[in-house]
Amino acid sequence: MLLMLVLRRTLPYVPAVGDIGYRATLFSLPRLFAGRPLVRRVTLSGALVGIAFGAFWTALTFLLEGHYRLGPTMIGLFGLVAAASALASPYAGRLADRLGHRGALAALIGLVAVGWLVLLPGRTGLGWLIAGVVVLDVGVWGSQAACQTALFTLDSALHNRLNTLYFTFRFLGIAVGSLVGTVAWAGGGWSAVAGTGVAATAAGLIVAVLPARPLFGSTSCRV
């Protein structure tokens, strides 16, 4: 609540770009998703990477508690390891400028897959887990920045709605990943979780690099 008050006083006023109402804005989201191939490709790719991300952080707790006998405090400290990867996020936009949006997404989502390969022998030592957390998180947060960079090449009047679509799919993916990671752990342990993460990441990579095609013959969307 305090942060909300601070932001209200300090953020600059930005006038509305259009005069569309809130309800109409919400109803325009499905048409925006269906009518823009780039939006579908980026949001679906983000959701699939979110599945891999959610599966990892949920199952990691089981591994650290059950195999390494760590308590809640030590498990929570792994979040600090992941926080270091946030420093790499600003470079994702520069990578998008250099490689193009599709190339940057391919490189960063590929880094998530590499992170899972590093995590695969996670039962044999904490060093593998720490290294894998850093690599995976750099790829996850970097790909998120690259996704937003790609979406924001579209009309500035759509940016809020594009953020809404992206993060709705992103967090749905993370929620599904938490469920899938739990099921994978119960069924096959850490190797099954790693296989799930690699599969979801590979699917996200394929979606990210696929050529954009209109849905149901639609080529544009006026919202």
Side-chain angles (χ1 to χ4, degrees), residues 21 33 54 65 73 80 92 103 110 112 143 150-151 158 160 180 186 210 216:
F33 177 82
E65 182 182 34
T73 300
L80 296 179
V112 178
S143 65
L151 290 174
L158 301 175
N160 284 339
V180 172
L210 281 176
F216 307 128

Side-chain angles (χ1 to χ4, degrees), residues 23-122:
R23 181 176 297 181
T25 299
L26 290 180
F27 282 126
S28 73
L29 294 177
R31 288 184 286 128
L32 178 59
F33 177 82
R36 303 271 183 162
L38 173 65
V39 175
R40 289 197 308 278
R41 179 166 58 84
V42 170
T43 53
L44 292 176
S45 175
L48 289 165
V49 174
I51 291 175
F53 183 75
F56 167 71
W57 281 106
T58 299
L60 177 66
T61 303
F62 305 146
L63 178 65
L64 293 176
E65 182 182 34
H67 184 70
Y68 291 100
R69 305 300 179 186
L70 298 181
T73 300
M74 293 301 297
I75 293 173
L77 289 175
F78 267 77
L80 296 179
V81 177
S85 64
L87 300 175
S89 294
Y91 298 98
R94 301 176 190 175
L95 188 65
D97 292 336
R98 186 179 305 173
L99 300 179
H101 303 132
R102 188 177 275 107
L105 280 175
L108 290 163
I109 296 176
L111 193 61
V112 178
V114 172
W116 272 111
L117 295 178
V118 175
L119 289 165
L120 184 58

